[in-house]
Amino acid sequence: MAIPQSFIQELLARVDVVEVVGRYVQLKKGGANFMGLCPFHGEKSPSFSVSPAKQFFHCFGCGKNGNAIGFLMEHAGMTFIEAVKDLAQNIGMQVPEDDASPQDRARAAEQRQKQATLTDVLEKAGEAYRKHLRNSPKAIAYFKGRGLSGQIAKDFGLGYAPEGWRSLASVFPDYQDPLLAESGLVIVNQEDGEEEKRYDRFRDRVMFPIRNVKGECIGFGGRVLGEGTPKYLNSPETPVFSKGRELYGLFEARNALRDAGYVLVTEGYMDVVALAQLGFPNAVATLGTACTTDHVQKLFRFTDSVVFSFDGDGAGRRAARKALDGALPYATDVRSVKFLFLPAEHDPDSYIREFGKEAFAHCVTEAMPLSRFLIEVAREGCDLNTAEGRAHMASNAKPMWMALPDGALKRQLLSEIAELVDLGNHELQDLWMPAAPAAATARSGEFKKSSKFKPREPYAPKTYKRGTRLIPQGRADHAARVLLSHMDLWDDLSTEDHNLLCELAPPHGPLFVWLDQQHHEHGNQAWGALREGLREHESEELALRVMASAFTPLLDDEGKPMPESLTPEQQRKEAGLELRGILNKILFESLDAQMKEAIAEAAADPTAMQRYKALFERRKQLGLIPQKLVESHD
Ligand SMILES: [Zn+2]
């Protein structure tokens, strides 16, 4: 019987290894861990330690170690399946039935197959639209009129859907094929008593293929030529296309995001294409919807800095307000979120044409930080000269402030809001969070325990380059050990850090890529659950090797392990500092190597010097350059 690995991980996220071992071994709390006499070898003083944080047991005497399943197998002599069933029964989880899992697997395979078929159909239509563009002087004239070069049209795969109700019939010999309707290319209309009508959704429009992050075509946006309505028409929601999650241009912009250091979120696909033409290839657009938290989360997988650009009118302001709500939960201290408001009569395209590229770049640097926009939104319509007005502002600010992740930004904002509404920091905090903070933390710890393995919606994994970057192995091992022990630290890292780790040479890089995926799909897990998920993974051996030393304790005079003296919170904090230290070293070495490369190429490649300068700036930002050297460069 094959039990899905995700079930086993979920199970291990819910059971407590301390409780499971405690059924067989008398355990005593010693610091952050529990200690007892090892059940696997004879001993008189305890060397057997069980870690609730790692969800793992380890004996310093005989070296036996494992998670809850491993303990039941080793100590109670159960088979793997018996152990899983035993654990599941104790916490009321249903082990998937023998016959259910092949069925589920077949269903999942069928779904994947269907999605692949749909993208094939859309890809084929896109090809046809591109061909039609070459033969349509008016569509070419439209793009040329917007200043687009042939190269940009090619990069974005722009096309033209010709006039006529059934142009696609020449591309797809079977126009009745249900896939054409399912992919949104063909509309099927049937009214009472009438014959069914089928016709192309996109007619006489310039076409913008929408691609997912893997580069597959998942839908289209079409703009009318001339005056027809609607001006913009998008593919409907299909099994492969969801407006609330996809961003136009993300695939095309993915490399530029890294070079530019930020993403510009605009209002439409014409903005994206025009910006690419004008030297800003780092733009994306939502597809006729407000920016959602899903959009923001997706963007933060590619960059640490998001700049929302909106038209200066009322609609732009409302869209900005929605984007703010979407961004708040992700505005950690290592990220930057800004709002750019152009003058009411301008969009980015027209602004750059009138004032130039530099002026627009300047607007981007001067864009309003999230903290200021939040305050502006909160105080809107509140007269701060009256107690009522101040109270009103406080109540406006509360839900937004609460949505922010914990960190320095959140604390500073509390002070700022407190001052504006004429209250002390503590008064405002008491008002907003009446529960005693200590009790709240304890409770949230418990809550995490029961819900930490969240099956989230599967996401398209970010495609990391299979890494070739070599760094001293000890350093990469160290980072792996800290992150496998404290997976929640992954949240605190920037996209730059994530990229750095994920693009290390195997086996380290693939391990971090896997960890990133686990984090997105299931949230944080203890080592005991991660270990199970790593079975047969190419980096399993690495993970086991580095984690073996994660249990090395301090020994007392008799050579017995001393109890862990730090609380879990203190341990996490220490681990965070440790990780930052390692990452700074890795970052420094990586920048150093890239700078050397750039210098070596500078003679033959004029862009290399620019690259060198950008790298130097980054190193300066990180405070990784001696002051003397900075001065000599400035
Ligand atoms: Zn032992």
Side-chain angles (χ1 to χ4, degrees), residues 24 37 128 187 193 296 329 349 365 440 457 475 488 517 598:
Y24 302 88
L37 292 174
I187 295 175
V296 177
D349 183 20
T365 33
E457 181 182 351
R475 211 156 272 165
D488 54 336
Q517 194 188 341

Side-chain angles (χ1 to χ4, degrees), residues 258 299-305 334-335 462 464 490 492-501:
R258 186 179 282 206
L299 288 171
F300 275 129
R301 294 180 50 65
F302 292 86
T303 177
D304 292 325
S305 179
V334 293
R335 293 172 177 158
K462 176 175 170 190
Y464 289 102
W490 192 254
D492 296 355
L493 300 185
S494 67
T495 305
E496 186 180 33
D497 296 329
H498 290 163
N499 288 341
L500 198 64
L501 291 170

Side-chain angles (χ1 to χ4, degrees), residues 191-339:
E191 276 163 40
D192 286 344
E194 285 186 38
E195 211 182 311
E196 179 195 270
K197 292 196 192 89
R198 280 175 184 258
Y199 52 93
D200 292 4
R201 178 179 302 270
F202 299 102
R203 303 175 307 277
D204 195 20
R205 284 173 183 267
V206 284
M207 299 296 289
F208 301 76
I210 300 161
R211 294 161 173 158
N212 62 16
V213 286
K214 287 185 262 177
E216 297 161 339
C217 183
I218 53 173
F220 292 95
R223 188 197 187 283
V224 279
L225 286 172
E227 294 308 311
T229 54
K231 195 164 164 191
Y232 294 98
L233 180 66
N234 289 332
S235 288
E237 301 275 312
T238 70
V240 292
F241 177 53
S242 159
K243 281 181 217 158
R245 281 202 299 277
E246 300 298 339
L247 287 148
Y248 178 73
L250 186 55
F251 173 73
E252 291 81 357
R254 68 202 187 288
N255 293 325
L257 296 186
R258 186 179 282 206
D259 298 336
Y262 69 95
V263 63
L264 196 60
V265 186
T266 62
E267 296 192 61
Y269 21 81
M270 201 52 227
D271 287 331
V272 173
V273 179
L275 278 164
Q277 178 72 55
L278 293 167
F280 295 88
N282 53 320
V284 302
T286 54
L287 290 149
T289 63
C291 202
T292 64
T293 49
D294 283 342
H295 286 135
V296 177
Q297 188 185 19
K298 198 169 219 175
L299 288 171
F300 275 129
R301 294 180 50 65
F302 292 86
T303 177
D304 292 325
S305 179
V306 175
V307 180
F308 293 103
S309 162
F310 296 100
D311 300 348
D313 56 8
R317 199 85 189 167
R318 280 192 296 281
R321 176 61 222 270
K322 293 209 171 118
L324 173 66
D325 287 337
L328 284 168
Y330 297 99
T332 61
D333 292 345
V334 293
R335 293 172 177 158
S336 147
V337 179
K338 289 194 203 173
F339 296 82

Side-chain angles (χ1 to χ4, degrees), residues 95-107:
V95 181
E97 288 301 319
D98 297 48
D99 53 345
S101 99
Q103 263 174 12
D104 283 350
R105 244 177 296 159
R107 249 202 304 278

Side-chain angles (χ1 to χ4, degrees), residues 38-41 43 47-48 59-64:
C38 178
F40 302 110
H41 81 282
E43 62 174 1
S47 326
F48 181 76
C59 175
F60 303 112
C62 65
K64 278 248 191 300

